[in-house]
Amino acid sequence: MEFRLLGPVGAWHAGRRLGPSTAQHRTVLAMLLLEPGRPVPVARLQTALWGSEPPESSRNAVQGHISRLRRLLAPFPEAALTTSARGYCLTAGRDRVDLHRFRDLVRDAGGEPDPGRAADLLRAALTLWQGPPLADVAGRWLPDVVVPGLEEERLAALERRVELDLRQGRHQEVAAELTPLVGEHPLRERLASLLMTALSRGDHRTEALAVFRGVRRRFAEELGIEPGEELQRLHQAILAGRDRTAAHGGSPPAPAQNPAVPRHLPPDTEPFTARQDELAALDRLTAPGPDQALAPCVVTGTGGVGKTTLAVHWAHRARDRFPDGQLYVNLQGYGPTHAARSPAEAVRLFLDALQVPPELIPATLDAQAGLYRSLLAGRRMLILLDNALDADQVRPLLPSATGCLALITSRAELTGLVAAEGARTLSLRSFSPAESRELLARRLGKDKVGAEPQAVDDIVSRCAGLPLALSIVAARAHTRPAFPLHALITGLEEADGPDEPGSLDVFDGGDTGTNLRTVFSWSYRALSPDAARLFRLKGLLPAPEISTSAAASLAGITVRDARRLLTELTRANLAAEPSPGRYGWHDLLRAYAEELTLLHDSDGERREALHRLLDHYLHSAHLGDGLLEMLHRVPLTLPGPGPDVVVARITDRAQSLAWFGREHRTLLAAIRHAARAGFDAHAWQLACACWGFLSQEGRSDDQVAMYRTALEAALRLADPAAQAHVRVGLAQALIRLGQDGTSGAHLRQALTLFRTLRDPVGQGVCLTYLSVLEDRQGRYAEGLALCEEALRLHRSAGDRAGEGRVLNNVGWFHARLGAYGEALRRCEEALLIHRELDDQPGESATLDSMGYIHHLLGQYEEAIAYYLRSLSWRGGNRALGARTLQRLGEAQVAAGRVAEGRQTLGRALDLVAELAPGDAGALRARIDGLAGHPPR
């Protein structure tokens, strides 16, 4: 018996397909075969069959599918389907599953020194593909999550085989094979590079250069960028006649080097001799099982006990077991704001580390996780997931490849991973007295420690075996090398009086020796007064990191002074500098700082400091927002920043995007913190100042969360202008998420408020967004009437930019109603205004509308040209680019360029599924309907 996944799914015997007969049965079989020999939890099968909301009867249905598969496989002892507490497991040899035979052949080819033999192995691997993988399964999970990764594996193997064929002088065969493939994948640079090489070495230099020009044009029109360095170097070489050494059988240049092996572990500590028992336990826990699979391993323990230090050291020690690389991410599960890093952000970091081009990264978390797991297939890699919050945060990051290990650290026990994924755990204890002395001896030197044994015993006793506490003591000793060690604990008893704040009580074991607050105080008391004040005030910060300019605003000092004080804190181990100009701290240190500011700084001082900090974020965000293009937005006017507030230096669009990219999580926390602390004006204004970035990046969920907090603040203020601004921003995000009813209610309330305020621009923006809802419902005449009224309002206000943008919408609705001549006339009026004002976003939107009108007129090539011109700006805006890509794809299909159109629609779907999930189903059905559609 053999099983096939690379095409129609099923079990074959003696050349005959035995089944399964239904798509749902095939889905279950495919899930079991993707990881043969490993249990697949029922929950994962439910997700594959029904998505995130399986029916109540789904568990029984899964059991029924398993029973039918058992009957199908019963006559064949080489395939055993078993049940355990961890799920269902289908045990079958890798040589019986075409996917795993393919991967084994690809792996063997990678280790084959003979190019001809390696090419033959890859050729044999590729012949196993009988069509699109998993072609006839049920549900969207496998096609959306797993298939993109499998297709990437096929293309990578094909490219490697082509490289080897070129080395053997098969230029004509390669050129004939690659020409249609480059047409199917016009933005895949490696395919284009190989085709250019084959043509050049086959004496078709002109055609090779034409390929480059075509690729370069597509990159410029669709992505707004130049091709990569490899392709450009090859182009120059062909122009200079240098890439012809193998045209008649000579040796071609060496193939492109393999991507660099990721080595992303943090630096190891100095000589690490403690924790020998735990290191040996990790060796045992991470040993391969009977099927060579590596179960996830979780290191748990209290804060400050040294989980990360142990995990990083073991990872360095074991890195030879994982020659294909090591990945690392701090999941920030436990911190002052509880703003853990999302699985989507972590997966994106891993895809970047694995050198996946941004344009090839899928939009949804499930698809990204599937691509990530596919890239790990056949590799031996270590994935270190540090500071995890819970099992749900970790699951999307777990590798499925048998040779890859996930090592996780967390304060939680993560029992869910133990139950469902068979994870193994190591609970980390505090240091023994001997290990504590050893750490002090390594940090301070054996002579200094040996000279004061009683003082060392006191330090060891009071630090209670917490490596963090011991490290802070050692740091203070380094800053005061002339002090005897006994001086480090002088005054400890006085510090433990009844007035000591209580937020660190969880680290008090009942006596002074287990009070971490006291240990922190030793370093704090060594600070200069100004540094001590900054340390206290940073307890007000609602985020785990701060920039130099934010710290300057917080303390009301210059940037230069802030940098100096932050350096002092860093040297005292009371802050860290994870990246230049950004400073973070352990969450225990923040808790201690918060206690100190409540104890030593007055209510007025704390409120003024927080006011300055929020002013910094508000005015920096407002400055950056003004450099980002945004259609249909009500202008936000702010009073100037208060005294001693430092605004970030942001001078262009790129700097604005970079600043928001660094700070957006801090800004979310700042809005929540402002609302809780009574700074309601800052809360709503800061949300509005983030609108442009969140909208352009398609972060609609973040925008909704932010604006809901802002709306609560605006309602508390009873400020109609604030409520109107916030409701418009909230409605715009809800429209993106497909929540039309709720967004319409907010828009109508905002319109009433703007009418009361006699704000014609605000009214016009509300009417414009309401027209979008009418357009979605097919009420084009009503939408046109709303836009005509909005146009009148913008003209009455002298808002020339708003007039141009609404004119475009008027043209759009005329086109929807079939009045194509009037539609073009209105759009041409809009285009004149946009060009007069140098309004690139407005011009781009109008070019998009004109493409749509020409499409309706049956002028498909003209439509395609307008859409491509529109994408020259919109290609950098995910939300707007998704719409134009969808229309471009339809125009290409109508023009008979079906394969090209289907690919363009696929790119649009990746964006739409993330940005406007309510619209994704119809687009997905449209793409499916084009499969096998012949060109006209």
Side-chain angles (χ1 to χ4, degrees), residues 228-251:
E229 290 184 11
E230 177 189 348
L231 206 59
Q232 297 204 49
R233 284 197 301 268
L234 177 59
H235 175 237
Q236 293 300 318
I238 294 174
L239 284 173
R242 293 196 302 269
D243 193 60
R244 300 172 58 83
T245 58
H248 302 287
S251 297

Side-chain angles (χ1 to χ4, degrees), residues 490-497 500 525:
T490 299
L492 177 63
E493 288 74 14
E494 299 94 272
D496 291 322
E500 196 75 31
R525 291 173 182 174

Side-chain angles (χ1 to χ4, degrees), residues 631-653:
L631 298 169
H632 307 302
R633 184 162 46 152
V634 185
L636 176 66
T637 303
L638 297 177
D644 298 323
V645 173
V646 179
V647 179
R649 296 182 61 183
I650 306 172
T651 59
D652 58 31
R653 183 174 185 270

Side-chain angles (χ1 to χ4, degrees), residues 142 161 266 382 389 428 449 512 516 560 654 700 718 747 790 851 918 924:
L142 282 170
R161 197 221 74 217
L382 172 65
L389 177 65
L428 203 57
V449 169
T512 58
L516 194 57
R560 182 177 181 179
S700 299
L747 287 169
R924 185 177 289 111

Side-chain angles (χ1 to χ4, degrees), residues 282-283 286-288 294 314 318-323 380-381 403 405:
L282 279 177
D283 288 338
T286 60
L294 300 174
W314 182 88
R319 63 180 179 269
D320 289 343
R321 289 175 51 189
F322 306 98
R380 287 185 292 160
M381 296 187 70
L405 171 70

